[in-house]
């Protein structure tokens, strides 16, 4: 009959659809059907003619009585199923945003209120009302969400992108739309494409509110992640050598990988794109790449856009907003490790597989293996998909922070099989 799971702490509580009461109802229904059939069989097989009319009349009354009872039982079952469905939604957190609670921003109420279709039920989709799209985890951060939706309609939006990102990282994704004008930042000194790919981006072209650093010089002196150490320095750092000059056996050259695609690589998706250098190298080779970003400690999205590239502000917990089998290549590095339970990485990998076309390439670039267990776990997961291993290298290299400590990394180029 199925079950509903509710995460509580480290355990899981299960709520079964079928209760003891519903089982008893099913048994009663079965007994009623059998009784009806027995009465009918007796009526048609009885031989004494003088009792036939009496028995038929009596049988008819019994059938009518049983039919009424069955109808009543079916109605009770229908009502119970509706109540159970409502309880399931409440237990899972759906439809639990109480719009009547005090101090809730009026704009949030307006946005989330269902709107009836003016012409009634739509014949194609079957819907009768328009419901706003908002992450169900928003209910857990409803105070922050209300703060995000507290603004003057048709006025300037609050300078609160960091609040929006905090909500996204808490699972409140997608965020509700707003009816206010976002802050405009004058973009001065931008270069035409493709010159823009390798020209420094001015500090005044991005928003620094909510960030510790207020300049790219400050950022280049920090290790923001394993894949971003000095990654905003497009002139003097290693960034302008990435993917065209290898520093170790784990660094694959971009032309070698493209050759494995047999000339069929035209569009790609970069997960955790850093400052956009992978997309820039692909753009030089007439390959369009969308870079998935968040502004964690740095204005990644604006920097990538200033280089003339496509930045998609999206967390890895969000289902990729693309149709299936559309990308020729998906590139990911250590940003693929989103932590948590192994099932979380599985959901992400299955979504990557969904958007990658058959014959397309999945490039796992310098994935950091914290321990042997992590490497084995990832290897087993990849093998479940049946991808062809075109390249597979496990090697050690020094920590990017310069500590001299050796770390284990996995790099691979895998080809998605054709499934029928």
């Amino acid at each position: 009959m199925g079950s509903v799971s509710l995460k509580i702490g480290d355990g899981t509580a299960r709520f079964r659809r079928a209760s003891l009461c519903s089982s008893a109802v099913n048994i009663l229904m079965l007994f009623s059907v059998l009784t009806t059939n027995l009465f009918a069989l007796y009526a048609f097989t009885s031989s004494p003619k003088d009792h036939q009319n009496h028995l038929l009349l009596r049988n008819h009354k019994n059938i009518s009585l049983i039919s009424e009872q069955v109808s009543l039982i079916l109605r009770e079952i229908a009502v119970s199923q509706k109540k159970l469905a409502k309880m399931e939604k409440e237990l899972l957190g759906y439809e639990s945003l109480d719009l009547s609670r005090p101090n809730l921003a009026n704009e949030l109420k307006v946005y989330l209120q269902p709107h009836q279709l003016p012409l009634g039920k739509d014949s194609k989709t079957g819907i009768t009302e328009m419901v706003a799209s908002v992450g169900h985890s928003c209910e857990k951060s409803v105070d922050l969400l209300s703060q995000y939706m507290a603004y003057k309609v048709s006025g300037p939006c609050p300078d609160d992108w960091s609040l929006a990102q905090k909500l996204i990282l808490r699972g409140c994704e997608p965020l509700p739309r707003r009816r206010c004008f976002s802050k405009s930042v004058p973009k001065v000194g931008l270069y035409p494409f493709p010159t823009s790919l390798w020209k420094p981006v001015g500090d005044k072209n991005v928003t620094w509110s909510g960030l510790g650093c207020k300049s790219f010089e400050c950022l280049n002196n920090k290790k923001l992640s394993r894949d971003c150490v000095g990654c905003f320095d497009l002139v003097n750092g290693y960034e302008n050598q990435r993917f065209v000059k290898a520093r170790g056996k784990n660094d694959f050259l971009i032309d070698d990988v493209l050759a494995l695609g047999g000339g069929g690589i035209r569009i790609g998706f970069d997960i955790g794109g850093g400052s956009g250098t992978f997309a820039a190298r692909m753009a030089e080779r007439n390959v369009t790449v969308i870079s998935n970003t968040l502004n964690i400690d740095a204005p990644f999205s604006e920097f990538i856009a200033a280089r003339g590239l496509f930045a998609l502000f999206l967390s890895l917990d969000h289902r990729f907003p693309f149709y299936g089998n559309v990308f020729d290549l998906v590139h990911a590095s250590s940003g693929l490790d989103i932590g948590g339970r192994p099932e979380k990485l599985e959901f992400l990998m299955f979504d990557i597989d969904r958007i990658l076309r058959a014959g397309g390439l999945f490039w796992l670039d310098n994935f950091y293996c914290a321990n042997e267990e992590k490497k084995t776990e990832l290897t087993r997961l990849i093998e479940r998909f049946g991808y062809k291993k075109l390249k597979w290298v496990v090697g050690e290299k020094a920590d990017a922070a310069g500590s001299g400590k050796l770390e284990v990394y996995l790099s691979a180029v895998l080809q998605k099989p054709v499934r029928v």
Side-chain angles (χ1 to χ4, degrees):
M1 296 290 290
S3 62
V4 178
S5 298
L6 175 64
K7 183 76 190 261
I8 303 177
D10 295 329
T12 301
R14 293 194 173 272
F15 299 85
R16 297 193 173 276
R17 295 178 183 272
S19 64
L20 183 61
C21 180
S22 61
S23 299
V25 168
N26 291 334
I27 294 174
L28 180 58
M29 287 177 59
L30 179 61
F31 175 78
S32 300
V33 172
L34 290 174
T35 304
T36 303
N37 291 334
L38 288 174
F39 273 119
L41 180 63
Y42 179 81
F44 286 106
T45 56
S46 179
S47 55
K49 294 182 179 180
D50 52 344
H51 296 289
Q52 186 173 5
N53 293 333
H54 175 73
L55 292 176
L56 285 174
L57 180 61
R58 182 180 178 184
N59 187 52
H60 177 73
K61 291 180 179 179
N62 288 334
I63 291 175
S64 299
L65 179 60
I66 292 173
S67 298
E68 291 178 3
Q69 292 175 345
V70 170
S71 298
L72 179 61
I73 292 171
L74 291 176
R75 284 196 297 269
E76 290 292 333
I77 291 175
V79 172
S80 299
Q81 288 177 339
K82 290 181 180 179
K83 290 182 179 179
L84 179 59
K86 183 179 179 181
M87 289 173 59
E88 290 175 353
K89 290 179 179 180
E90 290 176 351
L91 290 170
L92 290 171
Y94 296 97
E95 296 187 356
S96 55
L97 266 173
D98 183 9
L99 301 182
S100 64
R101 60 186 297 172
N103 302 322
L104 202 64
N106 186 63
E107 276 293 276
L108 182 60
K109 297 178 182 179
V110 173
Y111 179 78
L112 294 179
Q113 190 69 38
H115 299 281
Q116 297 293 326
L117 295 180
L119 300 179
K121 184 177 181 180
D122 182 76
S123 59
K124 293 183 179 180
T125 62
I127 63 174
T128 59
E129 61 184 13
M130 296 299 296
V131 181
S133 177
V134 64
H136 75 273
S137 292
C138 291
E139 188 271 337
K140 299 177 182 177
S141 305
V142 69
D143 292 334
L144 289 179
L145 183 64
S146 184
Q147 180 183 339
Y148 175 73
M149 294 297 288
Y151 58 87
K152 182 180 179 181
V153 177
S154 298
C157 291
D159 186 10
D160 58 357
W161 72 264
S162 56
L163 172 62
Q165 183 167 271
K166 183 183 295 184
L167 284 165
I168 290 174
L169 292 174
R170 292 187 177 191
C172 184
E173 189 179 27
L175 286 171
R177 289 173 172 165
R178 300 199 291 189
R179 297 186 293 175
C180 58
F181 296 101
S182 60
K183 181 181 179 181
S184 297
V185 178
K187 305 289 184 177
V188 295
L190 295 179
Y191 296 91
F193 188 86
T195 306
S196 59
L197 293 176
W198 300 105
K199 288 292 185 179
V201 177
D203 293 340
K204 294 183 179 180
N205 286 324
V206 300
T207 301
W208 296 99
S209 61
L211 297 173
C213 282
K214 304 300 180 183
S215 69
F216 289 115
E217 182 180 0
C218 172
L219 290 175
N220 285 325
N221 292 323
K222 289 189 174 185
K223 178 185 177 182
L224 298 174
S225 68
R226 296 184 180 278
D227 303 314
C228 184
V229 180
C231 65
F232 293 100
D233 186 354
L234 304 181
V235 178
N236 301 314
Y238 173 68
E239 201 68 11
N240 59 12
Q241 299 179 30
R242 290 187 68 190
F243 307 110
V244 293
K245 183 177 180 180
R247 291 192 296 183
K249 63 179 183 178
N250 282 77
D251 297 332
F252 300 157
L253 302 184
I254 208 164
D255 291 326
D256 294 342
V257 175
L258 288 176
L260 296 174
I265 306 299
R266 303 149 302 161
I267 55 174
F269 184 46
D270 187 17
I271 298 176
S275 61
T277 294
F278 177 78
R281 288 299 183 197
M282 283 295 190
E284 292 176 329
R285 291 153 178 80
N286 296 318
V287 178
T288 301
V289 170
I290 298 174
S291 300
N292 162 248
T293 67
L294 281 177
N295 289 353
I296 305 296
D297 298 327
F300 289 103
S301 298
E302 290 177 286
F303 188 86
I304 292 173
R307 298 179 73 177
L309 302 168
F310 191 159
L312 181 66
F313 193 74
L314 192 75
S315 80
L316 294 185
D317 288 325
H318 194 293
R319 185 179 189 267
F320 297 133
F322 308 114
Y323 194 68
N325 298 283
V326 295
F327 286 104
D328 304 312
L329 180 144
V330 175
H331 174 264
S333 54
S334 289
L336 189 70
D337 186 10
I338 53 180
R341 294 179 177 270
E343 292 85 356
K344 195 170 185 179
L345 179 58
E346 287 185 21
F347 277 112
L348 176 57
M349 283 294 298
F350 272 97
D351 208 27
I352 292 174
D353 180 79
R354 178 184 63 82
I355 65 174
L356 184 63
R357 68 167 174 83
L361 303 181
F362 174 47
W363 181 353
L364 187 60
D365 185 11
N366 283 279
F367 182 88
Y368 171 62
C369 302
N371 48 52
E372 187 65 25
E373 181 182 356
K374 191 72 175 180
K375 185 186 71 174
T376 302
E377 179 182 291
L378 179 63
T379 301
R380 288 176 178 172
L381 176 59
I382 291 174
E383 289 176 346
R384 286 173 57 186
F385 290 88
Y387 283 26
K388 182 179 180 181
K389 295 180 181 178
L390 304 180
K391 278 180 170 288
W392 185 277
V393 175
V394 177
E396 294 181 338
K397 64 178 182 178
D399 177 20
S403 65
K405 179 182 177 182
L406 293 178
E407 298 176 330
V408 178
Y409 289 83
L410 167 65
S411 292
V413 178
L414 311 165
Q415 187 172 41
K416 180 179 175 178
V418 177
R419 303 191 186 102
V420 293

